[in-house]
Every structure is written in C-alpha cells, then in structure tokens.
Amino acid sequence: MILINFKTYEESQGKRALALARAAEKVGKEYGVCIAVAPQHVDIPLIAKNRSVPVFAQHVDPEMPGSHTGHITPESVVEAGACGSIINHSERRLRADVIEEIVGRCGSLKLITCVCANTSRVGKALAALSPEMIAVEPPELIGSGISVSKAKPEVITDSVRMIRAVNPKIKVLCGAGITKGEDVAAALRLGSEGILVASGIVKAKDPEAVLRDFAEHMRR
Ligand code: G3P
C-alpha cells in the first residue's frame, strides 16, 4: 500500500487535492497497487465523491458527537467519505491513552487505523492497541529527501520484527524521505508492507510520474 499524506501543502489542497487523487486512482488501477490519499479534512468529501480511491483523514479526535467545539469526530470523517485515519503522526502527536481511545472509537465505526510511531520501540508499544497499520517514521528524515530505507534500514527491520512479535496481523508501513521507486523497493525488501509518503509526491514536478515509479517498484 502507498498512503499519500497531503499534509497542509498548498500543492495538495482543494482542486489540486482532487487532481492528485485522480493521479493516485489512475496509477493504482494501472498497476493493481492500493494507493490511498489523506487530504486535509475539508477536502475529504470532494475526493470521496468524485474519485474512486481510499480516503484517509490525517487525524481524528476521540470526542463523542455532542457538545464539543473545534474537534473532528471519527463519525464526521466517516460521513464525509473517509475509510480510515492516520493517528499520532509526528506532526500531530497524541498521548498514549488518547491514541487508545481513538483506535477504539475508529474500530467501532470500522474506520481503518494507521497509527504512526517515531521509533521501533514506540511502534512495539502501540502494537498492543491493535490498529490495522503502524507506520514508522523517523521524524528527522521527514521531508528531508533522505529515505528511511537507505539512511535507517534498521528502523524498518526492527519495527517489523518487534511489531509482528506483539501482533502479526498489523501491517507495518514505513515513511520519511521517500522520493524514488528504489526507496520503495528497499522498504518492501526490508519487510514493510507499504509506505507513507508526502513531499516526494506532493512537491514533485510530475506527481503522476513519481507515483508510477513507486508503483512499478512495488510490483517487482
Ligand atoms: O506522513 C508522511 C510523512 O511524514 C513523510 O513525509 O515528506 O518525508 O514523505 P515525507
């Protein structure tokens, strides 16, 4: 799986978010690879209504529907058309008890959970919460263009080993600095089942071409 986090880049909001989602859908179908997108919350309905691509939220809060202000409930992202959510991204960190609550809330709504971890040890600890996916990303490599699979391969191998020992059903993704197909191939060789990526796609001159390069290396 390739999960593209649109973050808050201007290149991936509004109409540009829709265009990126179109490229993800096209390349995903062409190569038979699951390519999901995580736009800003306000762009979820636009993409979910117009494209046939799995849409994730970038974050959800644990609050129940009701008297709360400025929160994003899991119910609201389901209704907007999302099928999953990133939780605890390095740029949106949460306390462990809050992550547990959110994973539980998402589970009851059948919202797929992709919990992020900054190290393999944190990944192991979060595996106890049984999310569907754990994405391990060394924060110092995020947005650096230096790929985790090249600069810190042990983060991937350790994470896969440690997370699987706790719960073998969890899919382990990795991310940070991935910009080339060969980074993707290396990530898979090291045992991960997919990648979480942002700038390598969003900031690329030709995002569709880069996605195609990723998908080709994923199929090999
Ligand atoms: O969520 C994806 C992420 O944090 C990696 O970012 O820009 O290094 O692909 P980037």
Side-chain angles (χ1 to χ4, degrees):
M1 178 192 198
I2 298 173
L3 175 53
I4 312 170
N5 182 358
F6 287 8
K7 301 200 174 182
T8 54
Y9 289 117
E10 288 192 327
E11 291 88 339
S12 50
Q13 71 183 34
K15 283 182 199 150
R16 273 110 44 219
L18 190 58
L20 261 182
R22 189 182 302 120
E25 181 184 347
K26 190 172 162 200
V27 175
K29 280 188 182 148
E30 231 171 88
Y31 288 85
V33 169
C34 176
I35 305 182
V37 299
Q40 293 185 54
H41 292 97
V42 293
D43 290 326
I44 292 174
L46 179 70
I47 296 176
K49 276 186 197 129
N50 294 292
R51 305 304 336 165
S52 171
V53 65
V55 183
F56 276 56
Q58 294 180 10
H59 163 81
V60 283
D61 291 304
E63 274 71 17
M64 294 298 287
S67 187
H68 306 284
T69 302
H71 298 272
I72 295 162
T73 61
E75 284 80 359
S76 71
V77 304
V78 169
E79 199 163 332
C83 64
S85 183
I86 295 173
I87 298 163
N88 192 45
H89 191 278
S90 273
E91 293 152 2
R92 194 66 168 87
R93 287 197 197 182
L94 300 162
R95 287 196 327 247
D97 61 319
V98 177
I99 301 172
E100 180 174 27
E101 223 182 318
I102 296 173
V103 169
R105 296 267 287 107
C106 290
S108 65
L109 294 164
K110 306 230 177 312
L111 202 55
I112 300 165
T113 46
C114 177
V115 173
C116 296
N118 54 339
T119 65
S120 49
R121 280 161 61 90
V122 171
K124 179 187 172 186
L126 293 173
L129 306 178
S130 297
E132 272 84 20
M133 296 180 256
I134 294 183
V136 186
E137 301 193 311
E140 67 280 12
L141 297 179
I142 292 179
S144 68
I146 301 165
S147 162
V148 57
S149 45
K150 280 196 190 135
K152 295 205 160 173
E154 71 286 356
V155 170
I156 305 176
T157 47
D158 289 352
S159 300
V160 170
R161 182 175 43 80
M162 290 160 81
I163 293 169
R164 293 234 171 99
V166 177
N167 183 342
K169 286 190 187 151
I170 298 173
K171 309 268 181 239
V172 182
L173 310 188
C174 66
I178 295 177
T179 59
K180 297 187 196 81
E182 63 196 52
D183 303 332
V184 177
L188 298 189
R189 264 200 313 276
L190 293 164
S192 69
E193 286 162 274
I195 59 150
L196 181 55
V197 61
S199 55
I201 301 289
V202 175
K203 305 284 278 180
K205 273 200 187 119
D206 184 348
E208 191 178 315
V210 180
L211 261 180
R212 194 162 277 123
D213 180 35
F214 280 20
E216 255 170 38
H217 282 79
M218 198 147 238
R219 259 194 348 186
R220 278 177 194 175

